[in-house]
Amino acid sequence: MCGIIGFTGKSPAVPKLLEGLAALEYRGYDSAGAAYFTPDGLRTEKVGGRLSVLASRLSGTTDADITCGIGHTRWATHGTVSDANAHPHGNGRVYGVHNGIIENYRELTLWLAERGYTFTSDTDTERAVLLIDCLYRETGDPVKAMGEAAQRMTGSFAFALLFADRPGKIYAMRRGSPLFAAVSPEGTFAVSDIAAVLRYTRHFTRIGEGETAVLTAEGITFIAEDGSTVEKEYEWAEWDRTAAEKGGFPHFMLKEIWEEPTAVSATLAPLLSDSSFGLTETQIQNIRQIHIAACGTAMHAGLMGKYFMEKLARIPVNVEISSEFRYRDPILHPEDPVILISQSGETADTLAALRLAKERGNFTLAVVNVPGSAIAGEADAVLYTAAGPEIAVASTKAYTVQLAVLIYLAIRFGRIRGTLTQTEADGLLAQLADAHLYIEKALALSEACRHMAEKYRDHKNIFFIGRGRDYALSLEAALKMKEITYIHCEAYAAGEMKHGTISLIEKGTPVFAFATESAVWDKLLSNIQEVRSRGAQVLLFAPASLPVPEDAACDIIRLPDAPEICLPLCAAVPAQLMAYHTAVLLGRDVDKPRNLAKSVTVE
Ligand code: M6R
C-alpha cells in the first residue's frame, strides 16, 4: 500500500515524480504529495485527492533547478483522506514519505509530545518523521538518526526522506515494506516498484531489510544497521515498459483480460520444457499434505488448485487465507510443503505465512509474478508466472496464470506419485499446453457479457453458485464483481443454499451459476431449479455442448468446449468480463475501485 518515488540527479525531478506516481497509483490513490528542493529551500505540496490534482498544483514547478525530490501516493491507514494526512509529513527541517504501518505510533506520540512536538495530522508517518527529526537534532547524522528511529519503531516501513540542510540527497530505508534503488544516466531513484521508472532505467537493487540508502546525483551508498557500508549487486529488469501502458484499451483491466492467452502460454512454456520446479521427486513422494497460503484472488486460485491436486495427485491440500494461517499455529508436518501464491510477491500476510513456514522448517514454494519481490526472494523455490505487470487493482491475468501453474503442478505431482500413468500425464500436459487457445475463444464472449451486464447491472445483490471447482470459481467471480461494481455479491456452494441462504431469494434475485464440472452437472441443475422455483433469475455459464433443459436458466453464456482441465481457465474470462462491463455501465472507476490498493503491504 502506498507508492514512493524519489529522484535526485541532473535533470528536472518533478516530471519524473509525477510520471512515477502515475505508475504507482495502483498501490493507493486516495491522496498524493511531493517534497522537493528549490534554490530557495525545501517545498512540499500535497492533496487529499487524486494525483491529477497534485499534478495541476505542481504544473509550474518543472523547473530545471528542481532536480531532487520525493513523491507519494497514499492508501489511508491512520487518519482519513485529507490534505493534512497526505504525505509528505515533516516540519521544515525534515520531510518524509512512508509505506507501511508504525504500530507503536501512540507511544511515539507521547514521547514526542514530552519533547515539545505538536502534530498536524492523524498519521503514524508524521510521528515517525518527527522522531527522525528529533534524533537528527541530537546526533547531527541523518543515517544514525534513521537507524535509531528504526530501533524505536515497531511495524513495517519504507521511507524516503529529505533533510533541509542536505540538499540534493535522498535518504531511504526499509523494513518489511518494499523499496528499490535504481541508477540511471540522469540520476538515481528510490521507488516502491521498479516498473514505475523503467523509462529511465532497468538497473535496480532492492534496499535490504534494515538498510539505509543515501542517494545523490552521482550514485547510491548503502549502509547496514551496524553502520557498515554494503556493496550491492544490481539487477536488470526485463519487463517490457509498454506492458505497463494501456495500449489503446479504455482500462488496464480490459487490456489485462485480453492478455490472458499470452500470459498463460508464456507462463507454461518454460515449465513444459523443463521438468525442475524446486522440489525433488523424493520430497514429492513423501508429502503428507500440501498447505497453500494466499490472499484474495490468489487464495481463490489456490482453492481451485486444491481440486486439481487432490483429484490428479491424490494429495490432501489445505488452503488458507494467509492472515489466518499466520496466527493460527497451523499443524505442519516436516514433509509438508507450503505453497505461497502472490501476484505482487509483497502481500504482508502471505510474506508472514512464508516466514512462519520457514521458521517451522517446512519447504516453501512461491508462485509469484513480480521478479525480485520479497516473497520470491525468501522462498526456498520460486515458480514465476509470466503475466507481466498487472496494473488494474482487480486481478485477472494473474489469476489465470496462477491457476495454470497449479494445474501443471497437480499433473506433475500425479505422475511422480504414480496416480497418473505417463500416457495420462502426457495427455493432460498436452491439453494444458493448448489452454491459451481456449482462453482466446472465451474472449469472444465479451459482447455477450456486456449484454448481460446491461440486464443485471441495477441489482443490489447477486448470488454466485457452483459445485466442486465451480464453487471455487464462484468465489472468484463474486469477488471480482463486488470489488469493482460495489454490488453486494455472495458465493455459495450450490448444495449449501438450502441450508439458510435460500431465504434471501425472491422474485428477480440474480443467481449466476457455473457449470464446468460435468460430474456434478445434474446436482447443480437441481440446485438451479430450487432457486428458480423461488423466483431467482439464473444466468448460467456452461460449455457449448452441455445439454441444458430449456427451463433451467433465464440466460446462458456458452463457454467454448474445452478439456476439463482447461475449462476453469476459460470460465474465469466471462466471469471477469461480466464484472468489467457491469462496472463500466455503472460508471465505476474500474482500475481503481474505492478503498482498495493493488499491493497490500500492511497486515
Ligand atoms: O499480490 P497478491 O496476489 O498477493 O494479492 C493478493 C490479493 O490482495 C489480491 O489477489 C486481491 O484480492 C485482488 N486484487 C482482487 O482482485
Side-chain angles (χ1 to χ4, degrees):
M1 332 293 268
C2 299
I4 291 177
I5 181 165
F7 170 78
T8 180
K10 304 167 191 109
S11 54
V14 172
K16 293 184 187 68
L17 299 184
L18 291 173
E19 203 182 308
L21 290 179
L24 291 171
E25 256 193 309
Y26 74 88
R27 302 181 68 85
Y29 35 82
D30 57 44
S31 316
Y36 45 89
F37 285 103
T38 72
D40 302 323
L42 202 44
R43 299 272 176 277
T44 64
E45 191 67 69
K46 54 187 194 165
V47 293
R50 288 288 169 100
L51 179 61
S52 52
V53 185
L54 177 73
S56 63
R57 291 209 196 154
L58 288 175
S59 57
T61 52
T62 51
D63 207 295
D65 288 340
I66 300 172
T67 57
C68 176
I70 54 176
H72 189 261
T73 176
R74 179 175 187 237
W75 187 85
T77 56
H78 293 71
T80 54
V81 175
S82 67
D83 286 1
N85 288 335
H87 301 206
H89 289 285
N91 57 2
R93 284 188 297 266
V94 185
Y95 281 103
V97 293
H98 166 225
N99 171 26
I101 288 188
I102 307 302
E103 287 162 357
N104 60 337
Y105 81 101
R106 285 194 185 82
E107 286 126 79
L108 295 180
T109 305
L110 294 176
W111 190 90
L112 287 161
E114 280 166 15
R115 285 155 184 80
Y117 279 88
T118 55
F119 309 98
T120 57
S121 81
D122 306 319
T123 64
D124 52 342
T125 305
E126 186 185 25
R127 280 55 176 177
V129 175
L130 295 182
L131 171 66
I132 291 168
D133 174 65
C134 182
L135 297 169
Y136 181 48
R137 288 166 74 190
E138 282 174 19
T139 61
D141 178 342
V143 177
K144 265 197 190 141
M146 289 164 70
E148 279 187 30
Q151 282 172 20
R152 289 171 191 257
M153 291 188 285
T154 58
S156 64
F157 52 76
F159 283 102
L161 298 142
L162 301 180
F163 291 79
D165 57 359
R166 312 263 166 167
K169 288 189 175 167
I170 297 172
Y171 293 81
M173 73 168 170
R174 66 170 282 273
R175 184 171 75 204
S177 302
L179 196 60
F180 298 89
V183 287
S184 81
E186 293 187 46
T188 59
F189 291 90
V191 68
S192 304
D193 177 349
I194 195 70
V197 295
L198 284 183
R199 179 165 164 203
Y200 300 98
T201 180
R202 289 170 179 275
H203 255 118
F204 74 100
T205 185
R206 190 181 179 85
I207 299 175
E209 282 282 308
E211 264 173 29
T212 301
V214 183
L215 287 79
T216 66
E218 287 72 39
I220 309 175
T221 311
F222 296 90
I223 298 139
E225 271 169 305
D226 64 3
S228 60
T229 306
V230 184
E231 286 306 320
K232 303 283 280 192
E233 295 219 343
Y234 281 80
E235 293 175 50
W236 182 255
E238 296 288 352
W239 278 8
D240 176 6
R241 186 163 70 85
T242 56
E245 292 165 3
K246 278 191 202 150
F249 284 85
H251 299 100
F252 279 111
M253 183 179 175
L254 188 61
K255 173 179 175 257
E256 288 161 4
I257 294 172
W258 241 257
E259 287 170 346
E260 289 183 47
T262 320
V264 166
S265 62
T267 298
L268 288 173
L271 297 176
L272 293 167
S273 61
D274 171 17
S275 55
S276 64
F277 42 78
L279 289 104
T280 63
E281 293 207 357
T282 314
Q283 268 178 308
I284 294 167
Q285 268 147 1
N286 290 339
I287 293 172
R288 289 172 54 160
Q289 186 178 30
I290 292 172
H291 298 267
I292 295 181
C295 301
T297 293
M299 193 276 290
H300 293 156
L303 216 46
M304 182 72 86
K306 167 189 167 84
Y307 285 93
F308 282 102
M309 189 60 83
E310 293 188 343
K311 181 166 182 198
L312 300 177
R314 306 302 297 153
I315 305 174
V317 180
N318 166 43
V319 182
E320 286 204 51
I321 296 166
S322 303
S323 54
E324 293 296 313
F325 182 89
R326 66 182 289 192
Y327 290 117
R328 208 180 53 79
D329 192 10
I331 300 167
L332 304 175
H333 294 288
E335 52 283 284
D336 293 350
V338 179
I339 301 180
L340 298 308
I341 309 174
S342 176
Q343 186 286 127
S344 62
E346 300 290 351
T347 301
D349 285 318
T350 306
L351 183 58
L354 164 78
R355 288 177 178 160
L356 173 68
K358 286 190 78 172
E359 263 166 46
R360 299 280 189 88
N362 289 77
F363 185 87
T364 54
L365 173 65
V367 178
V368 165
N369 194 47
V370 177
S373 54
I375 292 172
E378 293 190 26
D380 295 308
V382 188
L383 283 180
Y384 278 111
T385 52
E390 192 182 62
I391 310 292
V393 165
S395 192
T396 53
K397 60 178 179 173
Y399 171 77
T400 37
V401 294
Q402 287 160 354
L403 209 51
V405 168
L406 294 170
I407 297 170
Y408 167 82
L409 287 179
I411 301 169
R412 293 296 314 279
F413 283 28
R415 178 64 205 118
I416 291 165
R417 305 258 299 196
T419 52
L420 295 174
T421 64
Q422 190 62 49
T423 315
E424 285 167 335
D426 288 347
L428 289 170
L429 289 173
Q431 289 177 352
L432 191 61
D434 283 343
H436 63 286
L437 302 175
Y438 302 109
I439 299 172
E440 206 154 295
K441 286 189 186 163
L443 290 172
L445 296 170
S446 186
E447 192 45 36
C449 291
R450 200 189 57 74
H451 187 62
M452 284 299 122
E454 267 169 9
K455 176 168 176 181
Y456 289 99
R457 57 183 263 187
D458 291 323
H459 285 274
K460 297 278 170 278
N461 303 288
I462 304 178
F463 289 91
F464 290 72
I465 61 169
R467 281 175 168 262
R469 291 193 306 256
D470 289 322
Y471 169 50
L473 177 60
S474 300
L475 287 165
E476 175 54 13
L479 173 62
K480 216 86 301 169
M481 182 68 87
K482 67 183 124 180
E483 73 174 321
I484 61 168
T485 66
Y486 318 148
I487 297 172
H488 169 243
C489 299
E490 277 193 60
Y492 267 85
E496 183 67 8
M497 288 287 282
K498 58 179 152 304
H499 295 285
T501 310
I502 203 164
S503 65
L504 292 171
I505 302 290
E506 51 191 35
K507 193 167 180 320
T509 306
V511 176
F512 293 180
F514 292 92
T516 73
E517 207 174 333
S518 53
V520 285
W521 165 232
D522 288 345
K523 304 287 169 203
L524 177 69
L525 198 53
S526 308
N527 302 138
I528 290 175
Q529 299 299 2
E530 287 158 12
V531 292
R532 281 215 71 188
S533 57
R534 284 155 182 88
Q537 299 187 75
V538 173
L539 167 58
L540 179 67
F541 297 78
S545 61
L546 185 79
V548 178
E550 238 171 53
D551 63 342
C554 304
D555 298 297
I556 304 187
I557 294 222
R558 286 294 193 172
L559 305 168
D561 279 321
E564 286 233 3
I565 59 160
C566 297
L567 266 179
L569 295 161
C570 293
V573 172
Q576 295 162 352
L577 286 167
M578 278 300 297
Y580 172 77
H581 288 298
T582 309
V584 171
L585 290 167
L586 291 173
R588 306 296 190 228
D589 190 344
V590 174
D591 287 335
K592 297 186 197 110
R594 70 186 179 202
N595 305 339
L596 290 172
K598 179 74 178 162
S599 188
V600 185
T601 55
V602 293
E603 70 166 296

